[in-house]
Amino acid sequence: MSIDTTRLKDYFTGLQSRIVAELEAVDGQPFRSDSWQRPEGGGGVSRLIEQGNFFERGGVNFSHVTGTSLPASATAVRPQLAGRAWEAMGVSLVLHPENPYCPTAHMNVRCFVARKDGEDDVWWFGGGMDLTPYYAVEEDVRHFHATCRAALAPFGAGVHAKYKQWCDEYFFLKHRNEPRGVGGVFFDDLNEGGFERCFALTQAVGDAFTTAYLPILAKRRDIPYGERERDFQAYRRGRYVEFNLVWDRGTLFGLQSGGRTESILMSLPPLVKWRYDWRPEAGTPEAELYEKYLPPRDWV
């Protein structure tokens, strides 16, 4: 079976355009558009905003890259594919609002195809979305997870629970022994049930992102904040940086495959702080994040 990636590209580029249009309406400023080419093959379009009216930094990337040999990060679980030509495309976004009462969010949907003359293409999808609040509100976390569950409901009774647990396990800082945020859904190496089912599931996740995230921003964007909240936000953003640079497979793949560094590291927040062995004071809103929201639980 040979995969025609034209449909994939049409969906991913359309998804990028739709999401950016909704985010521009939230912020009130246009996103910059930055097209790039990859010398080894392919390229993409980065859509980003910095120092907007609402988003301190945000980016929605489309990439479509090709190569003659899969990098190590892509063959770690599929060593038999080493040396195959490959094609990868998808949309990846990270949004960092300035207001600490508005959570950071991440979403990614993607497809890989590995090819070898005389053999069927090997393909798989991956993706997900997750939420990283600083001052969490239970109804917001429940809404985010409920939207994820609804998006995956058509694909089987146990799918959401499986991908929710996978997200909890994936977005975990092993060196800190703590989660990055409150989770969402995550899946990778998906090829069960045929190409059409897997593509439809991936679209369902991508299409659900703004429904999961934007209502939270609408409720929290006007909450006043001060230096205390910004300080804690910057400290917790440090965990975001640590995860992306130490554990994230997508970051590793992009760097190992010669991707565009500016687009790969666009996910990092603009202002971050680290402290030595800091602990939140008991009974504070900062402590509540650690005690109530970060430990994985069933939210819906």
Side-chain angles (χ1 to χ4, degrees), residues 33 43 63 77 80 117 158 179 203 222 289:
S33 183
S63 63
V77 295
Q80 72 276 18
D117 289 343
Q203 292 177 79
D222 294 324
L289 177 73

Side-chain angles (χ1 to χ4, degrees), residues 4-80:
D4 179 5
T5 57
T6 303
R7 287 174 58 212
L8 298 175
K9 187 171 184 178
D10 288 344
Y11 170 71
F12 288 132
T13 55
L15 178 66
Q16 181 192 36
S17 296
R18 293 194 303 274
I19 290 177
V20 168
E22 292 191 62
L23 296 176
E24 287 178 334
V26 170
D27 190 273
Q29 286 193 22
F31 276 50
R32 169 185 172 186
S33 183
D34 188 14
S35 299
W36 53 275
Q37 296 295 317
R38 178 173 172 273
E40 294 82 2
V45 179
S46 296
R47 301 292 306 278
L48 61 145
I49 188 170
E50 290 190 305
Q51 300 301 319
N53 296 320
F54 176 77
F55 294 109
E56 193 167 13
R57 172 177 289 165
V60 186
N61 284 340
F62 166 75
S63 63
H64 179 197
V65 296
T66 61
T68 57
S69 181
L70 280 163
S73 60
T75 58
V77 295
R78 296 172 180 268
Q80 72 276 18

Side-chain angles (χ1 to χ4, degrees), residues 94-97 102-106 130-134 213 233 237 240:
V94 176
L95 300 165
H96 294 289
C102 294
T104 287
H106 158 259
D130 65 286
L131 195 69
T132 306
Y134 308 99
Y213 184 52
Q233 178 194 48
R237 280 174 169 180
Y240 211 88

Side-chain angles (χ1 to χ4, degrees), residues 103-120:
T104 287
H106 158 259
M107 190 276 288
N108 175 270
V109 281
R110 60 193 180 274
C111 182
F112 282 76
V113 181
R115 297 189 170 95
K116 186 176 182 180
D117 289 343
E119 298 185 17
D120 287 343

